[in-house]
Amino acid sequence: MSKPLRLRYDEIQTMISSEPNPSSDETTKNPPVFSALWTILSVALVVATLFTLWTPANLFSNQMLDRMFQAIQSEATLTYPTPTAAPRPRIGIVAGHWGNDSGAVCPDGLTEMQVNLEIANRVQQQLREEGFEVDLLQEFDDRLEGYQALALVSIHNDSCEYINDEATGYKVAAAASSAFPEKAQRLSGCLIDRYGKITNLRFHANSTTPDMVYYHTFREVHADTTAAIIETGFLNLDRRILTEQPDLIARGITNGILCYVRNEPIPVMDTGQ
């Protein structure tokens, strides 16, 4: 496109320069008005030629667009780190006797281990729905060695034999080996309060045994893991609620754990320890 432009411009220049300079006589013959009109016409031709060059087609030619895209692509690409989800708080639930023995056995063959596992499975599900990572653990689970979590609760039940009419209700004991006894006592207090309110079962204060207080799992888990054990009822007089309403029993335990991890208020009570 540039060569035709130079030709036109040269031609115009030639035309202008080739015009004879008017002599004094010719000036007399051709008035100044004619000279002015000729100058205007020449300028108009030059301007028109320039506009022919600066058309949108030339301005945004393929070559120019290619250069623009190359410049954009040569810029450094910004990368942003992919956000990673924070790990969910962990809680451990031990199903008493699971993977080891049957525990207490009723005359019809119902075992403590079966009841414990049914309740533990429901607690796990309920806590998961609350947004926690929950490990369901066996009695002597290999993962218990040095286990770390916000809290760990071992679920058990009491004898299937009839003892007396007072042998009904639940028991709770905090880990005696906890590095933070006040936390273990608080977990125990939360379980006692929330479980009793949900199930309406009686709490057996001052009836915990050394087997509960010094439960072997308490020695295996990390000292920073707050732990407790609960016997949710007697398989004799409390059998009906334990076997027919396992969701209710599990909810009592779940609410007790949530009370602890959420630092909810509890009344001052005798935990039996």
Side-chain angles (χ1 to χ4, degrees):
M1 297 296 294
S2 59
K3 185 174 181 181
L5 173 62
R6 287 196 299 271
L7 290 174
R8 294 193 195 100
Y9 185 80
D10 293 340
E11 290 171 356
I12 292 169
Q13 290 291 341
T14 302
M15 291 170 61
I16 295 173
S17 61
S18 64
E19 286 296 318
N21 291 326
S23 62
S24 58
D25 293 338
E26 289 175 337
T27 302
T28 305
K29 295 180 181 179
N30 297 320
V33 174
F34 177 79
S35 179
L37 287 175
W38 179 254
T39 302
I40 293 171
L41 178 61
S42 300
V43 172
L45 287 172
V46 172
V47 172
T49 304
L50 291 174
F51 272 115
T52 302
L53 172 65
W54 292 100
T55 59
N58 287 327
L59 181 61
F60 295 104
S61 63
N62 289 337
Q63 185 178 12
M64 182 171 289
L65 290 174
D66 288 342
R67 290 175 181 173
M68 291 172 62
F69 286 129
Q70 289 172 5
I72 293 172
Q73 291 172 356
S74 65
E75 292 293 327
T77 303
L78 294 177
T79 58
Y80 299 91
T82 303
T84 56
R88 300 196 298 175
R90 183 175 298 277
I91 293 174
I93 301 296
V94 176
H97 301 281
W98 179 38
N100 183 56
D101 58 50
S102 59
V105 181
C106 299
D108 64 350
L110 178 68
T111 69
E112 178 191 354
M113 185 275 293
Q114 291 174 315
V115 178
N116 297 342
L117 183 57
E118 181 68 24
I119 295 169
N121 271 309
R122 293 170 188 265
V123 172
Q124 180 189 41
Q125 181 60 35
Q126 291 172 6
L127 287 171
R128 281 178 172 174
E129 291 173 356
E130 295 289 339
F132 294 91
E133 188 72 32
V134 186
D135 296 316
L136 186 61
L137 304 162
Q138 295 184 349
E139 182 69 48
F140 290 96
D141 204 299
D142 292 339
R143 291 173 291 174
L144 286 170
E145 189 63 39
Y147 183 79
Q148 291 183 282
L150 286 178
L152 178 138
V153 174
S154 184
I155 299 173
H156 288 257
N157 275 282
D158 217 318
S159 175
C160 200
E161 297 179 3
Y162 174 78
I163 301 172
N164 55 47
D165 290 343
E166 298 298 314
T168 175
Y170 63 102
K171 304 174 184 179
V172 178
S177 58
S178 175
F180 303 96
E182 68 281 2
K183 290 185 177 181
Q185 289 296 325
R186 175 167 174 74
L187 174 59
S188 175
C190 278
L191 287 168
I192 292 169
D193 181 67
R194 300 303 195 264
Y195 186 81
K197 288 178 177 177
I198 290 290
T199 64
N200 290 318
L201 289 172
R202 170 192 170 193
F203 172 58
H204 281 267
N206 303 311
S207 64
T208 56
T209 65
D211 286 343
M212 295 180 67
V213 176
Y214 299 100
Y215 180 53
H216 72 88
T217 298
F218 296 161
R219 300 190 301 271
E220 296 169 13
V221 300
H222 195 282
D224 290 344
T225 300
T226 305
I229 182 172
I230 181 171
E231 291 193 354
T232 61
F234 286 78
L235 288 172
N236 188 288
L237 295 182
D238 301 323
R239 173 171 175 156
R240 186 167 184 176
I241 188 173
L242 294 172
T243 59
E244 296 182 9
Q245 301 184 66
D247 272 333
L248 184 68
I249 300 298
R251 176 53 60 185
I253 298 172
T254 298
N255 285 5
I257 295 172
L258 293 176
C259 162
Y260 170 73
V261 299
R262 293 173 177 173
N263 200 30
E264 296 173 355
I266 56 172
V268 177
M269 62 182 66
D270 180 6
T271 62
Q273 295 174 256

